[in-house]
Amino acid sequence: MTKKMTITSIKKTKGVTPLVMITAYDALFAKLMEPSCDMILVGDSLNMSFAGKADTLSATLEQMIYHTNAVAMGAKDSFIICDMPFGTYINSDEALKNSIKVFQQTPASAVKIEGGEDKAHIIKHLCSNSIAVCGHIGLLPQTVRLEGGYKVKGKTQEEREQLIRDAKAVESAGAFCMVIEGVKADVAKEVADSVNIPVIGIGAGRDVDGQVLVFSDMLGLFEEFTPKFVKKYMDGASLVKSALKSYSDEVKTKEFPQDIHTY
Ligand code: KIV
């Protein structure tokens, strides 16, 4: 990717070319991602893969702001989306106050909030106050404790109809794109076809307008569990462990450092 994406160029990809989104939490990885990805999401999944927590719910706004700034330092030409953490958009006023904090304290281009029809009024309030919003429908990780687990959506006619209503409501509220997570592929396709903004899938099959993956999953660094929808593009954990084992062995045997590493 050579040019930074904008809201306009992102919307124009609909029906033309799939969007590539990935999560990042720090400058080091963000810099590596920039050449290959259209958008970088500073996801609240960082609470799990970076901070080691069991779910995303204890991520704070301060944490999200800190990591968004780190990502922005590494990927200066990327369209960066900051995930609004649990509890920071419980009503329109809170959502606006907290999103303004994100916009004033980071160079993020947009925020992401979870929810469909039920959150449309909040998305509308943010957009009408100049905050660009990426929606997130389907499986909503911030509802994991309420729902008692991560449940794939779109399995019943009722869920299918709700998802289409959610997508339309998010679009009408002014979002420029949305993530659809953990939805049966045929239903995700119908949802994507029902709106004019890009619908970016994660665990939602290929017939959507782009894909997003959590970087530590797709690089095989996160070992706790691997969801069915994740493709590991490398076995990062094994590679890192084997490099560290070599380092440890060489320190113990004094094979490292050699003359070339010595002043
Ligand atoms: O927090 C996150 O990483 C996300 C992705 C799963 C889309 O919301």
Side-chain angles (χ1 to χ4, degrees):
M1 314 294 155
T2 47
K3 213 163 146 242
K4 180 171 176 169
M5 300 295 281
T6 62
I7 298 286
T8 309
S9 63
I10 289 166
K11 282 181 169 174
K12 278 190 184 158
T13 62
K14 177 94 180 175
V16 179
T17 183
L19 285 163
V20 182
M21 189 194 273
I22 191 147
T23 69
Y25 315 132
D26 63 59
L28 183 70
F29 273 99
K31 192 168 183 180
L32 299 174
M33 289 158 186
E34 185 157 61
S36 313
C37 300
D38 294 311
M39 287 185 268
I40 297 182
L41 169 67
V42 186
D44 59 356
S45 53
L46 65 80
N47 206 44
M48 299 167 78
S49 59
F50 183 86
K53 303 279 172 56
D55 59 34
T56 62
L57 275 71
S58 55
T60 64
L61 192 64
E62 288 64 37
Q63 239 177 308
M64 298 312 299
I65 288 172
Y66 174 85
H67 286 277
T68 301
N69 277 318
V71 166
M73 290 304 289
K76 295 196 167 63
D77 293 322
S78 289
F79 188 99
I80 295 169
I81 302 174
C82 173
D83 220 356
M84 295 303 287
F86 180 65
T88 60
Y89 52 97
I90 49 169
N91 58 46
S92 297
D93 289 342
E94 278 292 300
L96 183 58
K97 185 185 80 189
N98 290 322
S99 303
I100 287 175
K101 254 190 208 167
V102 170
F103 267 30
Q104 289 185 332
Q105 294 178 25
T106 81
S109 301
V111 299
K112 175 169 83 58
I113 73 171
E114 293 185 9
E117 231 180 352
D118 60 326
K119 294 291 185 302
H121 64 292
I122 292 177
I123 297 175
K124 193 169 181 190
H125 190 56
L126 296 185
C127 293
S128 64
N129 283 285
S130 309
I131 306 287
V133 180
C134 169
H136 185 153
I137 64 169
L139 185 160
L140 307 178
Q142 291 176 11
T143 64
V144 63
R145 296 190 201 173
L146 175 72
E147 298 205 344
Y150 298 102
K151 309 257 164 70
V152 173
K153 305 287 174 193
K155 288 184 168 170
T156 63
Q157 182 63 9
E158 200 186 336
E159 281 183 359
R160 181 187 147 270
E161 286 169 10
Q162 183 61 57
L163 282 163
I164 293 173
R165 279 200 301 276
D166 286 339
K168 288 187 171 168
V170 167
E171 178 182 37
S172 306
F176 67 95
C177 75
M178 74 190 84
V179 167
I180 186 165
E181 178 165 1
V183 168
K184 284 182 63 32
D186 55 329
V187 177
K189 175 182 175 0
E190 247 190 285
V191 170
D193 289 347
S194 72
V195 291
N196 294 309
I197 55 172
V199 175
I200 300 166
I202 173 161
R206 71 169 77 90
D207 293 322
V208 286
D209 306 307
Q211 298 291 330
V212 53
L213 281 177
V214 171
F215 90 95
S216 41
D217 287 341
M218 59 84 71
L219 294 181
L221 292 165
F222 189 65
E223 290 184 295
E224 278 24 86
F225 61 90
T226 307
K228 176 180 164 67
F229 60 80
V230 169
K231 175 170 178 183
K232 286 190 181 182
Y233 284 83
M234 65 182 248
D235 188 358
S238 298
L239 289 171
V240 169
K241 282 185 203 168
S242 127
L244 290 166
K245 175 81 172 65
S246 301
Y247 168 58
S248 170
D249 290 347
E250 290 187 11
V251 169
K252 288 190 193 304
T253 57
K254 290 197 167 243
E255 200 181 323
F256 174 81
Q258 295 175 355
D259 289 348
I260 51 160
H261 309 118
T262 305
Y263 294 110

